[in-house]
Amino acid sequence: MSTTLPTPRRQSTTGDVYESFCEGIRSLTGIDLSQYKRAQMERRIKTFAERRGTPDLMAYLAELKGSPEEREAFLDRVTINVSQLWRNPEQWAVIADKILPELAENGRIRAWSAGCSYGAEAYTLAALCARQAEKTPRLRAEIAGTDIDPRMVDKAREGRFSAADARDAKRPDLEKAFIREADGGWLAKPELKKMTRFSAGDLLRMRTQKDAYDLVLCRNTVIYFNEEVRDALHARLVECVRPGGYLVIGSTERVANAASLGLKSTHPFTYRKNEA
Ligand SMILES: C[S@@+](CC[C@H](N)C(=O)[O-])C[C@H]1O[C@@H](n2cnc3c(N)ncnc32)[C@H](O)[C@@H]1O
């Protein structure tokens, strides 16, 4: 399977208003909407434009060009940043009990939260690495988080989460790794912050490094991409996992042709990359 991502469409030659709108958004924000599932994204954008009082897409594009506030609201709508601490706890149980103990044997865990939103996934992983370090002294964990939305990346650097973000987390786990705030929210302890670093980047375009990670998490991010883009992205992520390392995807997702990418499924949502 090719790891080359499809080339973005430049100009609508068909007079397709949605394509022209996508091209305008790409020039304005750098986000390439044509890589996302069209029916879903088009519906979402049209409904939003209508609700904002400008149902004509090209007129709405002009409005977005003139108003940074409207651009903010629009990006909130299209990039869907929903996340939470310990999201899908059954996945975290597998990561904590099976994957981290195995990876810790090397004394170092290099992980990537790809499509990290405001950091809940990266900090949950950091909390579990801190717990693993109690059993594996001198364990070093380095967790990179990247997201296309720079506002989410800024928020992730703060490491601050609301009570709602923590709704699926167990109280003792939270108290160990986070500081309770006056408003009922949770702030990541400095030891977690030391393990994490966040940067903005488009998964479809950013430079990646072969075999750079022991663990790559890409959960609830590819669901918005069309299948061609999703499969090429998965192949690209697999290249970044070192042999013997893991790729973890969302609980409702799948990697097409996992075997041909050199992956063995160890649980419904975790894959181990074959050793050479
Ligand atoms: C639903 S959140 C998932 C967050 C986290 N992985 C989780 O499962 O809780 C999806 C994130 O993917 C990001 N995203 C969407 N397209 C992206 C792209 N092309 N490159 C990087 N991030 C992207 C969005 O900005 C959003 O923050």
Side-chain angles (χ1 to χ4, degrees):
M1 187 183 294
S2 161
T3 60
T4 311
L5 288 153
T7 323
R9 285 197 198 95
R10 294 287 155 199
Q11 192 73 48
S12 168
T13 47
T14 56
D16 181 323
V17 173
Y18 179 71
E19 279 189 20
S20 301
F21 178 81
C22 290
E23 177 52 27
I25 292 295
R26 207 179 64 78
S27 326
L28 189 61
T29 67
I31 294 178
D32 185 6
L33 295 173
S34 70
Q35 310 269 28
Y36 297 81
K37 286 177 189 156
R38 173 160 177 167
Q40 202 176 318
M41 185 59 84
E42 188 173 0
R43 195 176 335 111
R44 191 180 308 143
I45 289 171
K46 282 186 169 162
T47 314
F48 188 70
E50 252 169 58
R51 215 183 306 139
R52 307 295 279 188
T54 316
D56 179 288
L57 283 190
M58 296 318 279
Y60 187 55
L61 179 63
E63 201 174 316
L64 290 171
K65 282 184 184 154
S67 163
E69 295 78 30
E70 192 57 34
R71 264 197 317 268
E72 283 261 308
F74 174 74
L75 289 180
D76 269 342
R77 183 68 190 126
V78 295
T79 57
I80 311 175
N81 308 115
V82 177
S83 192
Q84 67 184 92
L85 294 166
W86 275 270
R87 182 178 195 179
N88 298 115
E90 72 288 355
Q91 292 199 326
W92 291 110
V94 172
I95 293 169
D97 299 341
K98 307 274 184 218
I99 297 181
L100 294 185
E102 182 185 323
L103 296 179
E105 285 170 18
N106 289 334
R108 183 181 179 202
I109 296 174
R110 299 160 305 164
W112 179 21
S113 167
C116 66
S117 188
Y118 53 95
E121 182 174 87
Y123 285 104
T124 303
L125 181 61
L128 296 181
C129 287
R131 204 200 292 165
Q132 180 63 43
E134 291 170 5
K135 293 176 230 154
T136 315
R138 289 187 294 283
L139 176 66
R140 276 199 298 143
E142 297 151 18
I143 301 162
T146 62
D147 200 277
I148 198 169
D149 187 340
R151 299 164 312 156
M152 289 302 119
V153 171
D154 286 344
K155 204 172 159 207
R157 290 190 182 118
E158 282 178 28
R160 188 164 261 125
F161 299 94
S162 68
D165 287 329
R167 64 190 178 276
D168 281 350
K170 291 190 184 133
R171 186 73 186 217
D173 290 338
L174 284 168
E175 282 174 352
K176 210 157 183 208
F178 295 83
I179 300 159
R180 189 81 202 266
E181 299 210 284
D183 63 359
W186 298 89
L187 177 66
K189 286 189 178 169
E191 62 166 326
L192 267 56
K193 286 197 173 175
K194 266 190 226 145
M195 286 182 218
T196 50
R197 68 192 149 80
F198 295 95
S199 55
D202 182 346
L203 287 171
L204 306 178
R205 299 187 202 184
M206 62 196 288
R207 275 171 167 271
T208 50
Q209 208 189 327
K210 196 172 178 317
D211 299 349
Y213 298 103
D214 305 296
L215 171 61
V216 172
L217 302 173
C218 187
R219 305 185 314 149
N220 312 305
T221 295
V222 299
I223 41 176
Y224 311 113
F225 297 142
N226 64 50
E227 284 189 7
E228 186 192 7
V229 173
R230 180 201 67 188
D231 292 348
L233 177 60
H234 276 150
R236 200 171 196 218
L237 295 175
V238 171
E239 271 190 0
C240 302
V241 178
R242 59 123 169 121
Y246 286 86
L247 171 68
V248 176
I249 60 170
S251 54
T252 57
E253 297 162 11
R254 69 184 190 97
V255 175
N257 301 325
S260 71
L261 292 177
L263 295 177
K264 188 171 178 292
S265 174
T266 54
H267 287 89
F269 46 82
T270 68
Y271 297 87
R272 188 170 190 275
K273 186 166 170 179
N274 298 334
E275 317 234 17

